[in-house]
Amino acid sequence: MTGIEWTEVTWNPVTGCDRISAGCDNCYALVMAKRLKAMGSAKYQADGDPRTSGPGFAVTMHPAALDIPRKWRTARLVFVNSMSDLFHAKVSEDFVRSVFQVMADTPQHTYQVLTKRPMRARRLAERGLVFPPNVWLGTSVENSATTHRIDELVKVPAAVRFLSCEPLLGPIDLDRFLLPESCPDGCACRYPDDAVAFDCPCTGACVGWSPNPAIGWVIVGGESGPNARPMHPDWVRDLRDECTAAGVPFFFKQWGGRTPKSAGRELDGRIWNQMPKAGATWTAA
């Protein structure tokens, strides 16, 4: 089991990573890897580059861990590589394909793959990597400077594409990713029935128009730990409101802070635990 609110278990056929953006500055996995190395854990004995990684956190593939999901007797919601990034350049293409084969062979489980490197995921998909229907693909987006990752994510044919806006370090506008840019008629309308509201001179194609979001789920959370950077409540509210308007599930994980449990998870008096529906599929904008 795991303490991560939006999943049930973690599976780490790969460990280790390298920091590439501001959201990585206080990486929990890097701190944990150092601790696990000191405890003698066999998976965390290789050290990464001290400029971007750290003790016990070198990118390492673990073939012996591949078959773990095959041994689970009951269906599970699985966070893949909570201690790494499956699409890191140092993870071989063959090994990525081996992980995907295990996921395809165990359709009873639902797999959540989260990456800061969606460009590689897109390129592998173009090279024939098949995303099974039980695999969700997400990318981390911490501020407006990292929304370019979403542009790559929406090009990947995953059954559910999701965002982890954690740690949320600044405002993010997801509007253009949650609904298409314009109606099928090519007019200026942005949402269904805008033609009625704004008297748009189109043929009426946007009346009753029901687009599918390019993003199927949004997770938001503040940074935790002794060096936690503050998160403005309005950044969270804006994302919630955009998701609500687009009908996209919204999950608020935590306010964060040095002791995140004390701050809780309530947003405007409510716990937001929305998840994608089973079997949901989403199309690119």
Side-chain angles (χ1 to χ4, degrees):
M1 303 303 289
T2 177
I4 301 172
E5 291 85 350
W6 46 264
T7 195
E8 294 177 351
V9 296
T10 59
W11 172 44
N12 284 286
V14 181
T15 56
C17 199
D18 289 280
R19 289 171 289 189
I20 60 171
S21 67
C24 305
D25 288 352
N26 299 315
C27 177
Y28 76 90
L30 192 154
V31 175
M32 188 178 297
K34 181 178 180 180
R35 186 180 308 132
L36 290 168
K37 177 181 179 175
M39 293 169 59
S41 175
K43 292 176 72 172
Y44 299 92
Q45 293 306 305
D47 296 343
D49 186 329
R51 296 170 298 179
T52 57
S53 185
F57 210 49
V59 175
T60 309
M61 293 167 279
H62 302 283
L66 283 173
D67 284 336
I68 290 175
R70 301 184 196 274
K71 301 174 183 177
W72 291 329
R73 295 183 179 181
T74 58
R76 304 187 183 193
L77 185 61
V78 187
F79 180 14
V80 181
N81 288 329
S82 62
M83 295 293 291
S84 186
D85 189 329
L86 183 61
F87 293 103
H88 193 292
K90 293 179 182 177
V91 181
S92 72
E93 181 174 338
D94 285 346
F95 198 79
V96 172
R97 291 183 183 275
S98 294
V99 172
F100 268 71
Q101 188 61 58
V102 173
M103 295 190 291
D105 291 345
T106 53
Q108 69 273 29
H109 306 311
T110 298
Y111 294 93
Q112 302 159 308
V113 181
L114 182 60
T115 181
K116 281 187 171 69
R117 299 162 174 86
M119 179 183 291
R120 190 177 185 214
R122 188 259 299 169
R123 288 175 173 171
L124 290 180
E126 292 172 352
R127 288 168 53 88
L129 181 65
V130 176
F131 282 71
N134 61 327
V135 174
W136 303 357
L137 181 67
T139 193
S140 300
V141 183
E142 60 261 34
N143 51 32
S144 60
T146 54
T147 56
H148 61 89
R149 296 175 186 156
I150 312 177
D151 290 307
E152 296 292 338
L153 177 69
V154 299
K155 298 172 185 175
V156 181
V160 172
R161 292 183 288 265
F162 69 96
L163 304 180
S164 175
C165 302
E166 183 187 14
L168 184 60
L169 302 178
I172 303 174
D173 183 4
L174 296 181
D175 202 41
R176 70 184 179 94
F177 300 105
L178 298 179
L179 286 175
E181 288 289 339
S182 59
C183 91
D185 191 55
C187 72
C189 299
R190 284 296 305 274
Y191 302 107
D193 301 325
D194 268 2
V196 176
F198 297 102
D199 194 27
C200 178
C202 72
T203 62
C206 38
V207 178
W209 169 46
S210 298
N212 285 327
I215 300 299
W217 187 31
V218 175
I219 304 165
V220 176
E223 191 168 49
S224 59
N227 299 312
R229 290 161 285 185
M231 176 177 65
H232 198 289
D234 286 347
W235 302 343
V236 185
R237 292 189 178 102
D238 287 347
L239 291 173
R240 176 204 57 194
D241 293 347
E242 288 183 340
C243 288
T244 300
V248 171
F250 177 81
F251 193 106
F252 183 54
K253 183 173 177 285
Q254 63 178 19
W255 283 107
R258 185 179 182 89
T259 54
K261 287 187 178 180
S262 64
R265 298 183 55 218
E266 280 196 10
L267 172 60
D268 295 333
R270 174 179 168 181
I271 300 294
W272 295 80
N273 276 342
Q274 296 174 346
M275 300 277 289
K277 294 180 180 178
T281 57
W282 312 89
T283 57

